[in-house]
Amino acid sequence: MPFRTAVGLLTCLLTWLLVATGTGRASAAGDTALTLPLLATPPVVDGRLEPDEWQVAVKVELPFQVEPGDNAPASEKTEAWLARDDQHLYLAFQAHDTDSQSIRARVTRRDDIDDDDYVIVMLDTYNDHVRAYRLSFNPLGIQSDGFINQEGDVDNTWDGIFRSKGRVTANGYVVEIAIPFKTLRFRAGKDAVWGLHLQRWIARKAERTSWQPVSRQVSNLLVQSGELRGFDDLRISRTLDVVPIVIGSLNDERRPDGRVATFRKAEAGLTVAFSITPNITLTATANPDFSQVEADTPQVNVNQRFILFFPERRPFFLEGQEFFRSLAVNEEYNRLSPFNSRTIVDPDWGAKLTGKVGRNTFAFLAASDRAPGKRVAPGQTGAGANALFLVGRYQRDFWRDSAIGGFFTRTHWAGTTNQAAAVDTRVRVRSDTTLRGQFTQTQTTTPDGLTQRGKSFTVNYSLFGRNWRIFADHQQVDPTYRNDAGFVDRTGYQGTFAEVGYAFRPVDDRKWYAEIWPFVQAYRSQTSTGFPELQNVKPGIDVTLRRGIFFYAGYEFNRDGFAGRVLSHRAVQLRHSVTRFKHLTFSGNLSFGTGLNLDPSNTTVGRRLDLRETITFRPNERLNLELLYLKSRLRDQRTRSPFFDQNIFRLRTTYQFTQNTSFRGLFDYDSAARRFGLSVLYAYNPYPNTAVFVGYNDLLFNGFDPIAGRRTPGLFRQARTFFFKLSYNFRL
């Protein structure tokens, strides 16, 4: 299908849909309000429902099946109790089950319960319908915590301190929870209202039940929350978290001359977080630990046209990171972010202030980064000099679910100053329709006084209803755009993306499928000079079956401009995910056809194969084995000789002795780099920021000498490290 024809058809369809779907706003389902009773004696959080402990608490049931059904009756009964005292919010769940032997409950690490059964608490503590705490607990009480936004996207990078205990019974399972108010940011006082969702996930059925009904015609999940009251007399106390960190390591590393240097390293750091009020927090850190115990997920890095994006994992930046997010950017479609914390690589100090007062959200960050000065050879400009980062963010909410905000960033290093100012907005037009936009202006001044300015903007439209799903996005980035504190995968282009799909959903639960979604996507971009960059049209279909089976099939038509040439290529794309089995899950994607060799000296079309597969095996409730395999290959169509052939293997084995204690082994191999990685780790992590880690890392190369930069027979050890890390969270 020609690209212009496809875009024309999509434009006509979008126009028709804007008229045909009307302008009414569906009513929210959050008409049910609960008032928290005050407990004189707190319950014992032990996973045992004692009637006298919860008799004062307010009790509700979760009667609605919201997935895969459309507010159909739940297949299993679930009850919940809520209460509070001056220090904690208490909840208890009793999840009845007619087949308790099939309940999925593992002793696992925090945030690793997605394949288990679990219950969910969502607390919109500002009742602004923008984001909420999302706390999940498997049948053993193991926690997964983070945030959920209005579209239902979950971010589990935040970790809070609270207690939970669960127990599987003959008739289901019980979970009891105590959440300290000190852990949450919230609005309290007279007439304070929190949004509340209570849900349950039944893994073997891929079924979600809910206290409140959830309409798919309303794209904002949080506006459909119930209400939680009873905070009028809640005493507000300040919280001080003091986290000292001690790190030690013994390192072997090959130097450029080929010799192995052995050195020891010991460091101490301190992070302090002070809650000025329940909704304003000041955090400061000196000589912080920004090491990652968890490695980044491998990505194919050969034949890549644009910069790869890696999510943030470091604790200092994770805390309060939601305050620094743009209203117009998401990781799937649009990563033109005014601020990306991973640009701050190796800080020696940092400080930030974050909070929300009424409809106003603000955040400020300052950090000094040692990394730029370390990358420069001694004697050159900037050697040993730190880069200073300053970031400011303000956002104002308006209407029921709309906002406007702005960013300001400033970096200074070696006499060069880079500044960026951005305005972003999100406007909820209807219950299922949202408009977003962002404009950014940058300015860079060099030591010799030269100034370079650039701008970027993006605007997008989304309609996500019960059936129709439409998304359109346009981006434009000047070739002179430069934001040293943000993220952009390339400059000097403008591009337009459009997607239209219609979801077929059964009206009852007797069908073999839960959803069938055929759709078509189209994208076109060109450089600032008008040269065609990327053009593609991709029709596809998503099929979600009942009981945890999903697959996708699509076909991709591409015309890419590269190195002065425009070449066409096509590919079949397949994806799958199977989670219905208790001990085994697997997911992956496959793409095959033709592809472009991104080598300026030999730009041509070859035979392409891309594969990614993840297999997870859980023989018992404590042992978890995960195998990840990635392959990317491109061959000459005539000679069948490979332009490249990258294979990445990763085997991760985890044994969980208790909820807080684990041993992890990690082995990976990258055939393109001829690199082996080995890592073992003992971890004791009873709650966030309190941990003991002891580990060993080894990096080797097979048949390739990274110092000489050439293939050489033999096995070369580039580096190895024995390390420990100790931290403790003193909460005052």
Coordinates of all heavy atoms in Angstrom, one line a residue, residues 294-298 626-630 648-652 666-669:
E294 N 21.2 -4.1 39.8 CA 20.5 -4.7 38.7 C 21.0 -4.1 37.4 O 21.0 -2.9 37.2 CB 19.0 -4.5 38.8 CG 18.3 -5.4 39.8 CD 18.4 -6.8 39.5 OE1 18.3 -7.2 38.3 OE2 18.6 -7.6 40.4
A295 N 21.5 -5.0 36.5 CA 22.0 -4.5 35.2 C 20.9 -4.2 34.3 O 19.7 -4.6 34.5 CB 22.9 -5.6 34.6
D296 N 21.2 -3.3 33.3 CA 20.2 -3.0 32.3 C 19.8 -4.2 31.5 O 20.7 -5.1 31.2 CB 20.7 -1.9 31.4 CG 20.8 -0.5 32.1 OD1 19.9 -0.2 32.8 OD2 21.9 0.1 31.9
T297 N 18.6 -4.3 31.1 CA 18.2 -5.4 30.2 C 18.9 -5.3 28.9 O 19.0 -4.2 28.3 CB 16.6 -5.3 30.0 OG1 16.0 -5.4 31.2 CG2 16.2 -6.4 29.1
P298 N 19.5 -6.4 28.4 CA 20.2 -6.3 27.1 C 19.4 -5.8 25.9 O 18.2 -6.1 25.9 CB 20.7 -7.7 26.9 CG 20.6 -8.4 28.2 CD 19.5 -7.7 28.9
E626 N 15.3 -17.8 34.3 CA 14.9 -17.0 33.2 C 16.0 -17.0 32.1 O 17.1 -16.6 32.4 CB 14.6 -15.6 33.6 CG 14.1 -14.7 32.5 CD 13.8 -13.3 32.9 OE1 12.7 -13.0 33.4 OE2 14.7 -12.4 32.8
L627 N 15.6 -17.4 30.9 CA 16.5 -17.4 29.8 C 16.0 -16.4 28.8 O 14.9 -16.5 28.3 CB 16.5 -18.8 29.1 CG 17.4 -18.9 27.9 CD1 18.8 -18.7 28.2 CD2 17.2 -20.3 27.2
L628 N 16.9 -15.5 28.4 CA 16.6 -14.5 27.4 C 17.5 -14.7 26.2 O 18.8 -14.9 26.4 CB 16.8 -13.1 28.0 CG 16.8 -11.9 27.0 CD1 15.4 -11.8 26.4 CD2 17.2 -10.6 27.7
Y629 N 17.0 -14.7 25.0 CA 17.8 -14.9 23.8 C 17.4 -13.8 22.8 O 16.2 -13.6 22.5 CB 17.6 -16.3 23.2 CG 18.2 -16.5 21.8 CD1 19.6 -16.3 21.7 CD2 17.5 -16.8 20.7 CE1 20.2 -16.4 20.5 CE2 18.1 -17.0 19.5 CZ 19.5 -16.8 19.4 OH 20.1 -16.9 18.2
L630 N 18.3 -13.1 22.3 CA 18.1 -12.1 21.3 C 19.0 -12.4 20.1 O 20.2 -12.7 20.2 CB 18.4 -10.7 21.8 CG 17.6 -10.1 22.9 CD1 18.2 -10.4 24.2 CD2 17.5 -8.5 22.7
I648 N 22.6 -12.7 21.6 CA 22.8 -12.3 23.0 C 22.0 -13.4 23.8 O 20.8 -13.6 23.6 CB 22.3 -10.9 23.3 CG1 23.1 -9.9 22.6 CG2 22.3 -10.7 24.8 CD1 22.5 -8.5 22.7
F649 N 22.8 -14.0 24.8 CA 22.1 -15.0 25.7 C 22.3 -14.4 27.1 O 23.3 -13.9 27.5 CB 22.9 -16.3 25.6 CG 22.9 -17.0 24.3 CD1 23.9 -16.6 23.4 CD2 22.0 -17.9 23.9 CE1 24.0 -17.2 22.1 CE2 22.0 -18.5 22.6 CZ 23.0 -18.2 21.8
R650 N 21.2 -14.6 27.8 CA 21.3 -14.2 29.3 C 20.5 -15.3 30.1 O 19.3 -15.5 29.8 CB 20.7 -12.8 29.6 CG 20.6 -12.6 31.1 CD 19.9 -11.2 31.4 NE 21.0 -10.2 31.4 CZ 20.8 -9.0 32.1 NH1 19.7 -8.7 32.7 NH2 21.8 -8.1 32.1
L651 N 21.2 -15.9 31.0 CA 20.5 -16.8 32.0 C 20.6 -16.2 33.4 O 21.7 -15.9 33.9 CB 21.2 -18.2 31.9 CG 20.7 -19.2 32.9 CD1 19.2 -19.5 32.6 CD2 21.6 -20.4 32.9
R652 N 19.4 -16.0 33.9 CA 19.3 -15.5 35.3 C 18.7 -16.5 36.2 O 17.6 -17.0 35.9 CB 18.5 -14.2 35.2 CG 18.3 -13.6 36.6 CD 17.2 -12.5 36.5 NE 16.9 -11.9 37.8 CZ 17.2 -10.7 38.1 NH1 17.8 -9.9 37.3 NH2 17.0 -10.2 39.3
L666 N 24.0 -14.6 37.3 CA 23.6 -14.1 36.0 C 24.8 -14.3 35.1 O 26.0 -14.1 35.4 CB 23.4 -12.5 36.2 CG 22.9 -11.8 35.0 CD1 21.5 -12.2 34.6 CD2 23.0 -10.3 35.2
F667 N 24.5 -14.9 33.9 CA 25.5 -15.2 32.9 C 24.9 -14.6 31.6 O 23.8 -14.8 31.2 CB 25.7 -16.7 32.8 CG 26.5 -17.0 31.5 CD1 27.9 -16.9 31.6 CD2 25.9 -17.4 30.4 CE1 28.7 -17.2 30.4 CE2 26.7 -17.7 29.2 CZ 28.1 -17.6 29.3
D668 N 25.8 -13.9 30.9 CA 25.3 -13.4 29.6 C 26.5 -13.4 28.6 O 27.7 -13.4 29.0 CB 24.7 -12.0 29.6 CG 25.6 -10.9 30.2 OD1 26.7 -10.7 29.7 OD2 25.3 -10.3 31.2
Y669 N 26.2 -13.5 27.3 CA 27.2 -13.6 26.2 C 26.6 -12.8 25.0 O 25.5 -12.9 24.7 CB 27.4 -15.0 25.8 CG 28.4 -15.1 24.6 CD1 29.7 -14.8 24.8 CD2 28.0 -15.5 23.4 CE1 30.6 -14.8 23.7 CE2 28.8 -15.6 22.3 CZ 30.2 -15.2 22.5 OH 31.0 -15.3 21.4

